[in-house]
Amino acid sequence: MTKKFTKHDNGKRRWRLLPFEIINEVVDVFDLGAVTYGVDNWKECDDWDRYFDALMRHVMAWRLGEKVDPESGKHHLSHAICCAIFLIWKDRNNK
């Protein structure tokens, strides 16, 4: 007689659902920023509208047909995701 498999993971995060090739590129953009400006420099921002502006520049460049940021070689939307993450962090940390 075989035992039935049991695993109590209902309601837990299913990380496998993430498209890791895209997540990797977002992390690449974070790395580029860390090399250029310093690790976590973005947290010191005192004018968060700058990140909103940057997010919109990347979204608009993508919307107008430019897929890749010429400075970084990374997808414009990967940059936009980073900017959105910065703004979420700011919101949650009352900065």
Side-chain angles (χ1 to χ4, degrees):
M1 185 189 296
T2 24
K3 266 181 112 175
K4 185 178 175 194
F5 174 77
T6 303
K7 176 85 171 98
H8 300 287
D9 58 2
N10 288 339
K12 294 183 181 175
R13 290 188 174 127
R14 294 185 289 167
W15 288 95
R16 66 181 176 267
L17 299 176
L18 283 172
F20 288 109
E21 68 281 359
I22 295 168
I23 300 303
N24 280 335
E25 185 161 314
V26 172
V27 172
D28 289 346
V29 173
F30 268 87
D31 281 337
L32 286 169
V35 168
T36 305
Y37 302 107
V39 174
D40 289 341
N41 175 71
W42 58 270
K43 290 179 179 178
E44 304 305 321
C45 184
D46 59 356
D47 181 4
W48 291 90
D49 284 337
R50 295 177 74 175
Y51 286 117
F52 174 77
D53 291 341
L55 183 151
M56 293 305 296
R57 283 193 300 271
H58 287 292
V59 168
M60 291 307 298
W62 169 78
R63 186 70 176 133
L64 293 170
E66 184 177 88
K67 304 297 183 199
V68 175
D69 177 69
E71 271 184 59
S72 69
K74 301 298 179 187
H75 200 289
H76 276 294
L77 294 181
S78 294
H79 283 277
I81 289 168
C82 287
C83 292
I85 289 170
F86 297 162
L87 292 171
I88 292 168
W89 182 89
K90 177 248 187 234
D91 248 19
R92 290 194 173 168
N93 290 281
N94 297 316
K95 298 288 179 179

